[in-house]
Amino acid sequence: MNQAHIRGNILGLATIFLWSTLALFTVLSGNIPPFELLSISFFIASFIGLVMLKKQKKSFKDLFKIPLKIYFIGIYGLFGYHFFYFVAIKNAPAVEANLLNYLWPLLIVVFSAFLPNERLRWFHILGTLLALCGAFLLVSKGSSLDFEEEFTKGYTSAIVAALIWSSYSVISKTLKHIPTYAVAGFCLLTAILSLIAHLALEETVIPSYSQLFASIMLGLGPVGGAFYLWDYAVKNGDIKILGSLAYLAPLLSTLILVFIGISDLTVSVILACIFIILGSIVSSKEYINTIKRFFIKS
């Protein structure tokens, strides 16, 4: 267990914490249309990459040295995921669409089995399924789900979004030779495509100061800065553990909303907390044992 591996897992957990603030800042962004919000956030996110370039004594020109196929992968992941997610939310009930979208952590664990030198164990599957049950309770709020045929387009889009993000994350694992600052190019191109989608599909809203602040925070955190951390995490950490731990994001997001008084602490939230934490512990069994052995030897 080398330092890069440990750091990758830690940064992956930090990414999940950042993603947990998504709901909060989205609420604070008010009535800004989705693609307009994305374009603002990803433009902010691209500046993070420029700072990273300068810190590594690189220039903007170095982004042009990244192979074109890598940019296709980046656009596929960042823009493709958000595009289909928004289509899902607009064309299906939010609860059902979100539940289908939250298949992506499970799919990451499953897809990781096809990577070289990766081995899928029983506790990875069990832990992720327990966490998925927790996400089900969290999203459904303990009530039944109703998948109606008229919302097929939305349901399909949610599944496509889950497939895109999970496959993008697993593909990124194989691109360890590509520097993380390449994400700056992904963010910039996603910002441009989001702006085009906004101009074609939405009506522009001039944000207030508080809405603009929320948009900037999204770009610095869950819809921007988090993607740089996730890129490093999946390339260097244990992608199976990260996939399972990703279910902490909706849980922490809900708890943040409960803490500030936007949501209520219900029995389903408490049960979801138990399932997700238990699932995370089970899926991390191998990693926890490695840490124990490390401290015993030292």
Side-chain angles (χ1 to χ4, degrees):
M1 185 172 59
N2 56 42
Q3 290 297 319
H5 187 80
I6 296 173
R7 189 183 182 192
N9 289 332
I10 292 173
L11 291 183
L13 194 57
T15 306
I16 291 163
F17 278 109
L18 284 180
W19 280 337
S20 71
T21 65
L22 177 61
L24 173 63
F25 290 122
T26 301
V27 169
L28 294 177
S29 67
N31 62 340
I32 300 177
F35 285 111
E36 180 182 353
L37 186 61
L38 271 184
S39 63
I40 296 172
S41 300
F42 274 109
F43 272 122
I44 297 297
S46 62
F47 283 106
I48 297 175
L50 296 180
V51 172
M52 185 182 294
L53 280 169
K54 187 174 182 180
K55 190 174 182 181
Q56 297 182 15
K57 296 182 179 179
K58 304 285 184 179
S59 67
F60 186 76
K61 293 180 180 179
D62 285 287
L63 291 178
F64 291 95
K65 298 178 182 178
I66 304 296
L68 186 60
K69 67 177 182 179
I70 301 300
Y71 280 113
F72 280 119
I73 293 172
I75 293 170
Y76 163 78
L78 271 62
F79 180 75
Y81 168 75
H82 289 92
F83 179 84
F84 280 100
Y85 177 74
F86 287 141
V87 171
I89 293 299
K90 285 186 175 182
N91 292 277
V95 171
E96 285 82 355
N98 268 308
L99 182 61
L100 291 172
N101 171 62
Y102 274 120
L103 288 172
W104 67 259
L106 173 62
L107 292 173
I108 284 179
V109 176
V110 173
F111 290 162
S112 67
F114 297 98
L115 291 171
N117 303 318
E118 291 288 341
R119 186 171 56 161
L120 198 58
R121 303 286 297 278
W122 64 267
F123 48 82
H124 295 130
I125 295 293
L126 177 60
T128 307
L129 288 175
L130 286 171
L132 179 61
C133 290
F136 173 84
L137 288 169
L138 199 62
V139 173
S140 66
K141 298 180 181 177
S143 60
S144 60
L145 300 177
D146 189 12
F147 291 96
E148 299 179 22
E149 189 176 344
E150 63 180 296
F151 301 122
T152 300
K153 179 180 178 181
Y155 299 149
T156 303
S157 296
I159 293 172
V160 171
L163 285 167
I164 288 175
W165 188 251
S166 56
S167 58
Y168 165 74
S169 298
V170 174
I171 291 170
S172 295
K173 179 74 174 177
T174 68
L175 303 176
K176 199 170 181 179
H177 60 289
I178 302 298
T180 293
Y181 64 68
V183 177
F186 303 167
C187 289
L188 183 58
L189 290 171
T190 299
I192 294 170
L193 289 173
S194 298
L195 179 60
I196 293 171
H198 162 63
L199 295 175
L201 303 171
E202 300 171 338
E203 185 176 340
T204 302
V205 171
I206 305 300
S208 64
Y209 288 118
S210 60
Q211 291 173 334
L212 185 59
F213 172 77
S215 303
I216 292 172
M217 292 306 295
L218 283 170
L220 293 176
V223 188
F227 297 126
Y228 294 91
L229 297 180
W230 187 247
D231 183 80
Y232 184 92
V234 297
K235 287 177 179 176
N236 296 278
D238 189 320
I239 193 167
K240 299 180 296 297
I241 292 176
L242 294 175
S244 182
L245 290 177
Y247 279 114
L248 287 171
L251 173 63
L252 293 172
S253 178
T254 302
L255 293 178
I256 289 172
L257 295 179
V258 168
F259 181 76
I260 64 176
I262 294 178
S263 295
D264 298 321
L265 184 62
T266 62
V267 174
S268 61
V269 171
I270 295 172
L271 289 174
C273 184
I274 294 171
F275 272 104
I276 291 174
I277 291 175
L278 180 60
S280 299
I281 292 172
V282 171
S283 66
S284 304
K285 174 181 176 293
E286 192 174 43
Y287 188 64
I288 292 172
N289 289 339
T290 302
I291 293 175
K292 284 182 180 178
R293 289 195 296 269
F294 175 78
F295 280 108
I296 290 172
K297 287 180 180 180
S298 60

